[in-house]
Amino acid sequence: MYLATTGRPDAPPAPSGVRRRVPGTVLALGAVSLVTDVSSEMVTAVLPLYLVLGLGLSPLQFGLLDGLSTGATALVRLLGGATADRGGRHKQVGGLGYALSACSRLGLLLAGGATGWIATAIAADRLGKGVRTAPRDALITLHSPPEDLGRAFGTHRAMDTTGALLGPLAAFALLWATADAYDTVFAVSFSVGAFGVLLWVLLVPGRRRADEKAPAVPAGPRARGGFRGGLSGRSPGRLLGGLFDGLLGGLRSPGYRRIVVCAGILGAATIGDAFLYLLLQRRLAFDATWFPFLPLGAAAVYLLLAVPAGRLADRIGRRAPLLYGHGALLLAYGLLLAPLPDTVALLGVLLLLGVFYAATDGVLMALAGPFLTEGRQASGLAVVQTAQALARLGAAVAFGAVWTMSGPETALVAALLALTAALCCAARLLPTTPSEPSERSD
């Protein structure tokens, strides 16, 4: 049972009363994410309301924009993950992503209200996020003991969500103090983002420190020399061949293949948060000025539950929390359709959405981590994230199209049925972690 932790099957368990510390690198990464999320959420909190109610975009148009902002960075995620794995350049590639997101705030300052330039700035921010996510999560995996991956990712996501809570509050405080001077918000957002890049440079180590336990990897093949050799060759064909060999090499593991498939299946039945908030606003018909505060309710729940959910996943296995988290999202869909009092629907949806993210976001990465071969942590996680992102792109477009053609209720019923089917498939396909007896006996 302890083979994945120590390399010896007869190793004794750690004392149950001993509380292990969260690795310092995870805390540093969490601090960077907190500051960066303050910066990004300052400018994104009002976008759904602005685009749909302000600019008059149809639900289909908004679905296309929302989905593209999530899914169009797929190749960037893959390239970022593969490049980070080459020579262990996780810090350099991740720092580039954070810097790109910070610079996108300057684009908003220079846009002058032009929709095209605003879209370009948003795209730059998303590209930065796509580049940095896999290297950052790979650093968490590399610097954390495998038996504590759930807690490590939960701690990071809790700190990240703290920034998501503070960002909108800071933005509205600035708007109130400056009489709706949006340029001030963009300028402060850029300054905060630049501070996050500085923290990344100063606090995040490029390689594992000597006092941190190396995570175990499956006993399967190590990263092939063709990956690094292909990347270093001069021929473009060899470059691309080595890149895709590095990206897809992890798919040789049956458990990892099932995780990738399940990430796609579940992502295809997950509609974006912005749609849920728009449905809430439509049902409750509250004043539009309160709309940007809706994400804060879900973020508060996520913040409270991220660490407990990660620790629970480490104790009972990461498969069950991932399924139950999507079950919470299914209940949120149901609440929006049920004839309940408005207050019950509002609080219930925000609570369930927070539970969904706490039980799935970091837990999915922790579930995939032990299946990744040595030298492919970033690219392996990038494939999982890309499968999920592309599936959510399709889900956003499909939901927006059905809403536009048949109404929001029909679209929500279709999403509920799709998520039910996806959960049934995932319950059969998702593996347990390699260290659990049921997986070792496969």
Side-chain angles (χ1 to χ4, degrees):
M1 183 174 183
Y2 306 101
L3 181 61
T5 303
T6 64
R8 294 170 42 235
D10 58 343
S16 58
V18 176
R19 293 177 61 90
R20 292 181 292 270
R21 294 182 300 171
V22 176
T25 300
V26 175
L27 296 178
L29 292 166
V32 174
S33 293
L34 188 158
V35 173
T36 302
D37 253 33
V38 170
S39 172
S40 62
E41 292 301 323
M42 286 178 68
V43 298
T44 59
V46 299
L47 279 180
L49 186 66
Y50 173 70
L51 294 173
V52 174
L53 300 184
L55 298 182
L57 269 64
S58 71
L60 174 57
Q61 291 171 316
F62 178 74
L64 285 167
L65 183 61
D66 183 62
L68 286 172
S69 67
T70 302
T73 59
L75 292 178
V76 177
R77 288 175 186 265
L78 294 175
L79 184 60
T83 305
D85 280 338
R86 184 193 177 199
R89 299 175 180 175
H90 303 94
K91 180 172 182 177
Q92 292 90 330
V93 175
L96 176 63
Y98 279 105
L100 182 59
S101 291
C103 290
S104 71
R105 313 294 183 254
L106 287 178
L108 291 172
L109 270 174
L110 300 174
T115 305
W117 286 107
I118 291 175
T120 302
I122 294 173
D125 177 55
R126 296 295 182 176
L127 287 173
K129 184 174 182 180
V131 168
R132 71 179 183 252
T133 300
R136 181 202 65 200
D137 286 350
L139 284 172
I140 296 175
T141 302
L142 288 168
H143 289 264
S144 303
E147 71 274 15
D148 288 338
L149 276 177
R151 185 177 65 153
F153 276 102
T155 300
H156 173 270
R157 296 313 196 248
M159 298 178 72
D160 181 270
T161 307
T162 301
L165 275 170
L166 296 176
L169 296 177
F172 290 115
L174 283 172
L175 289 176
W176 176 80
T178 60
D180 294 342
Y182 285 91
D183 285 351
T184 302
V185 175
F186 299 152
V188 173
S189 173
F190 167 71
S191 300
V192 175
F195 179 61
V197 175
L198 179 63
L199 289 179
W200 176 275
V201 173
L202 295 179
L203 299 182
V204 176
R207 299 183 182 275
R208 187 185 305 114
R209 295 198 303 261
D211 62 337
E212 291 178 328
K213 183 190 293 186
V217 296
R222 295 166 61 93
R224 288 185 175 180
F227 175 40
R228 290 186 174 89
L231 284 174
S232 61
R234 297 180 180 179
S235 166
R238 291 184 60 196
L239 177 64
L240 292 176
L243 171 62
F244 282 103
D245 177 71
L247 290 174
L248 302 179
L251 292 176
R252 297 186 183 95
S253 164
Y256 177 73
R257 286 200 300 267
R258 284 185 276 166
I259 292 174
V260 173
V261 170
C262 288
I265 292 174
L266 292 170
T270 303
I271 63 175
D273 300 353
F275 273 125
L276 293 180
Y277 299 143
L278 288 171
L279 288 168
L280 278 173
Q281 197 275 336
R282 182 179 181 277
R283 172 171 175 165
L284 276 63
F286 53 77
D287 189 273
T289 56
W290 294 103
F291 181 88
F293 291 96
L294 288 177
L296 300 183
V301 177
Y302 184 11
L303 173 62
L304 292 174
L305 297 182
V307 175
R311 296 184 65 182
L312 180 66
D314 288 336
R315 290 174 63 99
I316 69 173
R318 292 148 194 166
R319 181 179 181 275
L322 187 66
L323 294 173
Y324 289 136
H326 283 87
L329 183 63
L330 185 68
L331 291 176
Y333 293 175
L335 285 184
L336 285 170
L337 291 168
L340 297 171
D342 289 346
T343 302
V344 174
L346 173 64
L347 296 178
V349 168
L350 296 181
L351 173 64
L352 290 169
L353 190 59
V355 171
F356 161 68
Y357 279 112
T360 61
D361 188 13
V363 172
L364 176 61
M365 297 297 100
L367 176 63
F371 291 93
L372 302 175
T373 53
E374 186 177 358
R376 287 191 175 128
Q377 284 88 355
S379 54
L381 293 177
V383 171
V384 177
Q385 294 160 356
T386 298
Q388 185 181 64
L390 289 177
R392 288 183 175 179
L393 164 61
V397 174
F399 187 85
V402 176
W403 183 343
T404 300
M405 294 184 294
S406 303
E409 289 78 14
T410 302
L412 197 54
V413 169
L416 188 147
L417 295 175
L419 184 54
T420 301
L423 270 172
C424 293
C425 292
R428 295 181 60 86
L429 292 175
L430 274 177
T432 54
T433 55
S435 59
E436 296 179 18
S438 60
E439 181 69 18
R440 293 202 312 271
S441 62
D442 284 350

